[in-house]
Amino acid sequence: MAKINNIRTVSVPSIGKLPLAEKPGTFTPSGTKREHKGGRLPEDGGFTESGAPAKLELNINLLGGVDIIALNAIADEDVTVRLADGHVHMMSQAFVTEPVPVGDGESKLTIMANTSEQIS
């Protein structure tokens, strides 16, 4: 699945717009992963399919007023990702995979969902 790295805004219903860093990160839409399946003869082979989840790897600014507890509590929410080209993707029932570490003003946040869809 191709990664998309021209993220403009990310919104979560319980928080609003997330404070993205200068280089916000990457978004990988959900899709289908195909793996080769061999056969006894070349013409007997083929592939197997499995679902690939949507993944949003963000760099965020930990500005004053950013609630780390609220970021860590993102679960079962519809996360909206707006891209530079105007397309909008929705990650359904998305969740944060790991607690957000507090550092020197910037931190990493990974959000995943089983499915995503382009809504505009």
Side-chain angles (χ1 to χ4, degrees):
M1 213 34 46
K3 287 188 178 182
I4 301 171
N5 61 8
N6 55 354
I7 299 168
R8 289 294 176 237
T9 63
V10 176
S11 299
V12 180
S14 65
I15 299 171
K17 285 186 180 178
L18 298 181
L20 302 178
E22 185 177 334
K23 293 185 178 183
T26 59
F27 169 62
T28 306
S30 62
T32 303
K33 181 178 177 183
R34 293 179 183 88
E35 294 188 26
H36 176 260
K37 177 184 172 193
R40 190 175 66 79
L41 300 172
E43 58 272 9
D44 294 338
F47 60 88
T48 58
E49 291 184 338
S50 61
K55 187 173 187 178
L56 183 59
E57 296 177 301
L58 294 175
N59 298 313
I60 58 172
N61 287 321
L62 296 178
L63 307 169
V66 173
D67 187 351
I68 302 297
I69 304 300
L71 289 175
N72 289 333
I74 295 172
D76 296 326
E77 294 201 55
D78 293 337
V79 175
T80 305
V81 181
R82 183 173 304 278
L83 305 177
D85 62 4
H87 289 109
V88 178
H89 292 261
M90 175 79 69
M91 297 173 66
S92 298
Q93 297 181 329
F95 55 91
V96 169
T97 60
E98 295 180 21
V100 176
V102 176
D104 60 354
E106 255 190 41
S107 190
K108 296 207 180 281
L109 176 68
T110 302
I111 300 173
M112 292 185 75
N114 287 333
T115 61
S116 68
E117 62 181 298
Q118 183 175 324
I119 58 175
S120 72

